[in-house]
Amino acid sequence: MNKLSEKIVKESVFKIGSVLSVEGRTIRIRVNKNKNHSHIIYKGNIAKNVSVGSYVKIVKGFIEIIGKVEGEFITEDKFFNKEYNREETKISRTLQVSLFGHFDDDVFRQGIKEMPLIDNECYLLDKDEFNTLHKFYKPDSKIINIGSLTEEPVQEIALSVNKLFASHIGIFGNTGSGKSNTLAKLYTELFTVYADEPKFKSNSKFVIIDFNGEYSGNEMITSNKEVCNLSTKATPEEGSKYKIAQAAIRSLDILSVLLEATEKTQKPFLDRAISNDYLDAPDTFNQRVILSVERAMKDTFKKTDKLLGVNILLELLRDINYLVTYENQNPLDSIVNSIEENLHCHSNGDYYWGSSVTTNYDNITPIYDTYLKANIDTLVFKDDELSKIKLKILLNYYHEIIKGYSNSEHIRPLIGRMFKKFRMLEKVISVVDESEENNGNRSNLTVVSLRDANIEMKKVLPLIICKHLYDKKKSEDENSKTSLHIIIDEAHNILSTESQRESETWKDYRLETFEEIIKEGRKFGTFLTIASQRPFDISSTIISQLHNYFIHRLINNNDINAIEKTVAYLDKLSFQSIPILSVGSCFVAGLALDVPIKVDIDLLPLNKQPKSETINLENAWT
Ligand SMILES: Nc1ncnc2c1ncn2[C@@H]1O[C@H](COP(=O)(O)OP(=O)(O)OP(=O)(O)O)[C@@H](O)[C@H]1O
Ligand SMILES: [Mg+2]
């Protein structure tokens, strides 16, 4: 067969009909009678015929316009059969097609320049054209394979690394629909493609916030990663704490969120406490603490109400008992006991030590110098960063209430919370200085597992970590070539707009932080990947700013609406089929693709799957 006749045969096989009407972007096509089969055969190969969801090509002169079939129906035309002298009906099949792109020199481009005309011929796409349509990357760019097209499983789908990972990504779907697997698949592929690139390791940083400990397995994503198993249950060994720089913890915002400080009184107090740098000189830290304690104790007794003074003093000493080193706790206890036993007050306001026949003093200084100073001077205070902050806050508190600057009723609850919260925090983070934090030899992937952390830390830690990472990235050179990727599975845990358990300020701060990353992170090379089963709960600012979406099965109407309202990339037909997607198959839409498609994401090999399989009850119970 020569070339021309081959072309004619091909056209006659692939031609399915012609344009019936053009209304805006919607086109109707009348299908030829002989094209009503489900498949067609061409050169011994079987190809699928048109159906809802498939693509058609409309040829107008030299222009080839591409559309997607969105609906299909039959129309009945009445006509008069003269031969038999009666009216008959003719049934014809009509397709409703919406246009979305065109071929330009064999390259697919989104958007249409010209509308078709009535009677333009319509064709099925042949294999090459179908390939071109689903090739979303330039020939020489780096790509990752994610799976295959649901409707045409032979068609593999690959996405450009640059277009996908230099963007905010959202993965949504009901529980068990395959989100975690999709997330793991994307990053596993990425780390495989770049396994041998030294610059990948030095110029990028990936942090996975993993609420359920799904990603800490040895083979997950890459074997060369750092896993922080943060646990508030036992006393963990040093290695499993998250290393964070001093500046991150000393920030007023973080501290007030952590300690749930009230806006009007406690937050200004905290501000005064941490900006007071009296305790910051490293060499004299212990001396300075002791001096402050001494000053506070002596000042206590300048108060008019002497008995109150003694009480404050005892309270102070009991509080600092948390802050001396372990070996010093008993000595301090005995100081407290001896004060309780010996320090008394006459009705005229004079003090005496021991029994009332001994010397009377009108101020505390001699008593302090004779009976207490020697013991207190030997105390050694913890000087790790968290204890330093506690001491700062505590000593500032006593300073202010003794001087009468603050009211203990207002601030005391904060001090109580401080001890409780810091006790949890100490178990999960270790504060290091900037240079140690940047220690170059670490892997570029960190998995922060919060499985064993309690609910409070699950809320606060991701925020502290992300906020700090982002601030640090921002303060680095703006045109730096490095990138930061924050990956949050089960993101509704921290991005939800609904939560009764927390204060308004905390919620605002949390959402503002992540909204800032979403809105401005791109300029600073920071990208967010979130996976969630509850898109409805997540702030719509965040959802609408994502660049690429992987949408698995969603059943709840609110969730589908949340997606529908904010995701401009998907057509109606696709939205309607979101509730009937099967496990592991999802709509992929966004900047990395020219057309939204339905993809079966490849299931990872067992050792690389997130630890989240559904339990097999039959196996477990027999
Ligand atoms: N692409 C896939 N192909 C086939 N099966 C899959 C695929 N993805 C996931 N599954 C199956 O579905 C199960 C649940 O998947 P996955 O943990 O990814 O769901 P999920 O959406 O993250 O659920 P959850 O919201 O509860 O975390 C997996 O154990 C796996 O067996
Ligand atoms: Mg999951």
Side-chain angles (χ1 to χ4, degrees):
M1 219 170 12
N2 67 26
K3 268 209 157 133
L4 184 65
S5 54
E6 192 174 327
K7 190 163 183 253
I8 292 172
V9 171
K10 184 177 165 190
E11 283 194 353
S12 70
V13 173
F14 281 81
K15 184 178 167 192
I16 51 155
S18 52
V19 174
L20 187 67
S21 72
V22 181
E23 302 152 58
R25 213 162 66 109
T26 315
I27 310 293
R28 281 171 190 234
I29 293 173
R30 167 169 291 155
V31 183
N32 293 348
K33 263 204 205 96
N34 56 353
K35 288 294 153 55
N36 282 342
H37 303 286
S38 67
H39 290 84
I40 57 171
I41 298 175
Y42 175 63
K43 283 190 175 171
N45 289 325
I46 294 183
K48 243 193 203 159
N49 205 346
V50 275
S51 59
V52 173
S54 66
Y55 303 109
V56 292
K57 176 176 81 176
I58 300 167
V59 178
K60 176 192 182 187
F62 295 109
I63 301 169
E64 296 181 330
I65 305 164
I66 308 295
K68 185 175 184 185
V69 182
E70 290 197 328
E72 178 180 2
F73 41 90
I74 50 170
T75 43
E76 291 181 359
D77 294 333
K78 290 211 162 53
F79 74 103
F80 193 76
N81 190 333
K82 280 192 184 138
E83 216 173 316
Y84 296 105
N85 210 11
R86 67 184 183 120
E87 201 179 59
E88 285 182 0
T89 44
K90 221 160 79 178
I91 293 173
S92 60
R93 181 180 170 207
T94 311
L95 301 177
Q96 184 183 324
V97 171
S98 74
L99 304 177
F100 64 88
H102 65 281
F103 278 123
D104 198 356
D105 287 339
D106 286 344
V107 180
F108 175 77
R109 298 203 189 284
Q110 240 180 329
I112 23 182
K113 289 183 182 160
E114 282 191 46
M115 299 300 286
L117 296 172
I118 289 181
D119 257 358
N120 281 158
E121 293 183 333
C122 306
Y123 297 88
L124 282 178
L125 298 186
D126 69 22
K127 214 169 165 202
D128 292 340
E129 288 163 333
F130 197 74
N131 265 330
T132 321
L133 184 62
H134 290 97
K135 200 166 161 190
F136 304 116
Y137 49 91
K138 301 230 168 65
D140 48 356
S141 54
K142 287 251 187 201
I143 54 165
I144 59 159
N145 283 310
I146 58 167
S148 55
L149 211 60
T150 306
E151 270 123 18
E152 200 68 49
V154 287
Q155 180 72 42
E156 299 224 319
I157 299 296
L159 299 177
S160 142
V161 165
N162 205 32
K163 282 197 205 158
L164 182 62
F165 291 100
S167 80
H168 302 307
I169 304 172
I171 303 171
F172 301 110
N174 278 85
T175 173
S177 57
K179 296 180 300 295
S180 301
N181 184 73
T182 301
L183 197 153
K185 171 75 182 168
L186 296 181
Y187 286 93
T188 308
E189 285 291 319
L190 179 69
F191 275 78
T192 316
V193 169
Y194 281 92
D196 303 323
E197 298 275 351
K199 281 205 165 164
F200 172 63
K201 204 178 154 199
S202 59
N203 287 348
S204 68
K205 184 165 176 62
F206 295 80
V207 178
I208 300 185
I209 307 283
D210 177 12
F211 284 94
N212 296 329
E214 292 176 47
Y215 300 88
S216 37
N218 260 348
E219 299 296 317
M220 281 300 300
I221 299 180
T222 164
S223 48
N224 175 24
K225 62 176 174 293
E226 198 182 349
V227 178
C228 297
N229 257 321
L230 305 184
S231 163
T232 45
K233 286 177 187 155
T235 338
E237 67 278 24
E238 194 60 27
S240 59
K241 292 183 184 177
Y242 187 83
K243 294 193 183 63
I244 201 158
Q246 203 189 52
I249 291 297
R250 288 213 173 184
S251 117
L252 175 64
D253 286 328
I254 293 287
L255 273 181
S256 35
V257 161
L258 184 70
L259 305 182
E260 296 163 28
T262 57
E263 198 65 28
K264 292 221 172 67
T265 48
Q266 297 178 346
K267 202 170 168 189
F269 162 77
L270 271 183
D271 192 17
R272 292 194 294 276
I274 53 173
S275 52
N276 175 357
D277 53 7
Y278 177 71
L279 290 183
D280 284 339
D283 45 337
T284 56
F285 175 74
N286 209 50
Q287 285 167 11
R288 284 182 183 223
V289 176
I290 289 175
L291 276 176
S292 325
V293 172
E294 179 179 331
R295 202 178 51 193
M297 291 173 79
K298 289 180 179 167
D299 284 351
T300 319
F301 295 97
K302 292 192 186 126
K303 287 189 89 74
T304 41
D305 185 345
K306 304 270 168 152
L307 267 176
L308 183 67
V310 178
N311 287 338
I312 294 178
L313 169 69
L314 289 171
E315 199 183 313
L316 164 67
L317 291 176
R318 286 196 195 103
D319 278 344
I320 64 170
N321 201 5
Y322 292 116
L323 294 163
V324 291
T325 57
Y326 182 70
E327 304 80 52
N328 282 279
Q329 283 176 355
N330 281 336
L332 187 58
D333 269 345
S334 48
I335 296 176
V336 173
N337 290 340
S338 89
I339 293 177
E340 273 179 327
E341 228 166 78
N342 296 311
L343 183 62
H344 302 290
C345 194
H346 282 302
S347 48
N348 70 354
D350 281 354
Y351 296 108
Y352 59 92
W353 186 265
S355 63
S356 57
V357 292
T358 53
T359 335
N360 292 338
Y361 306 95
D362 64 350
N363 74 61
I364 191 82
T365 310
I367 296 186
Y368 183 83
D369 289 344
T370 348
Y371 301 106
L372 298 170
K373 187 173 170 42
N375 287 335
I376 286 183
D377 280 354
T378 60
L379 292 180
V380 180
F381 288 85
K382 292 184 202 160
D383 65 349
D384 60 291
E385 180 61 24
L386 291 177
S387 305
K388 275 187 179 178
I389 296 175
K390 275 192 273 187
L391 268 169
K392 265 184 148 191
I393 295 174
L394 192 69
L395 293 175
N396 202 62
Y397 164 71
Y398 281 104
H399 174 70
E400 293 196 359
I401 61 161
I402 291 165
K403 295 273 184 199
Y405 301 155
S406 292
N407 185 334
S408 96
E409 262 169 49
H410 290 153
I411 314 287
R412 184 71 218 182
L414 180 82
I415 302 293
R417 277 201 296 276
M418 175 182 83
F419 284 117
K420 184 169 145 252
K421 296 276 166 109
F422 272 67
R423 207 156 41 234
M424 293 177 207
L425 203 61
E426 270 160 3
K427 289 187 181 168
V428 291
I429 66 166
S430 69
V431 182
V432 295
D433 50 28
E434 214 81 13
S435 59
E436 198 180 333
E437 195 195 19
N438 292 339
N439 198 342
N441 245 345
R442 287 159 63 181
S443 156
N444 63 338
L445 172 65
T446 309
V447 176
V448 181
S449 161
L450 295 168
R451 198 181 63 166
D452 297 327
N454 60 12
I455 291 182
E456 272 174 292
M457 285 296 120
K458 271 189 178 149
K459 287 204 174 258
V460 182
L461 275 178
L463 181 64
I464 298 182
I465 292 170
C466 296
K467 170 93 181 144
H468 171 61
L469 284 170
Y470 179 57
D471 284 348
K472 205 172 89 181
K473 183 83 185 65
K474 222 163 60 167
S475 65
E476 280 167 6
D477 175 23
E478 246 182 70
N479 331 319
S480 75
K481 291 203 173 58
T482 63
S483 64
L484 167 66
H485 305 260
I486 299 175
I487 302 150
I488 311 176
D489 196 357
E490 316 277 335
H492 45 270
N493 279 320
I494 42 171
L495 298 182
S496 71
T497 44
E498 310 274 317
S499 173
Q500 282 87 29
R501 290 161 45 94
E502 59 185 13
S503 68
E504 281 299 304
T505 35
W506 159 225
K507 191 171 89 186
D508 291 348
Y509 181 67
R510 182 169 59 87
L511 289 179
E512 271 162 24
T513 303
F514 284 100
E515 282 172 10
E516 187 187 340
I517 298 181
I518 279 274
K519 282 190 241 165
E520 275 145 33
R522 192 182 51 81
K523 295 175 213 136
F524 305 104
T526 305
F527 304 102
L528 207 59
T529 299
I530 58 177
S532 172
Q533 8 175 303
R534 270 316 254 158
F536 177 64
D537 275 353
I538 296 182
S539 131
S540 61
T541 318
I542 292 179
I543 294 196
S544 62
Q545 300 291 321
L546 299 169
H547 301 117
N548 287 299
Y549 299 83
F550 294 78
I551 303 168
H552 287 266
R553 186 185 61 231
L554 276 173
I555 293 183
N556 185 295
N557 253 340
N558 286 337
D559 290 330
I560 299 176
N561 288 343
I563 297 280
E564 193 164 1
K565 261 197 302 209
T566 46
V567 182
Y569 303 100
L570 268 191
D571 51 287
K572 254 218 144 54
L573 179 70
S574 307
F575 276 116
Q576 282 165 0
S577 48
I578 289 177
I580 50 171
L581 285 170
S582 58
V583 173
S585 110
C586 65
F587 283 104
V588 186
L591 295 182
L593 309 91
D594 300 312
V595 282
I597 47 171
K598 205 197 291 183
V599 181
D600 281 344
I601 305 285
D602 290 339
L603 187 62
L604 286 163
L606 204 58
N607 58 347
K608 287 179 177 282
Q609 277 178 29
K611 274 206 269 20
S612 66
E613 319 85 72
T614 319
I615 179 176
N616 185 331
L617 292 180
E618 287 178 22
N619 286 351
W621 289 351
T622 45

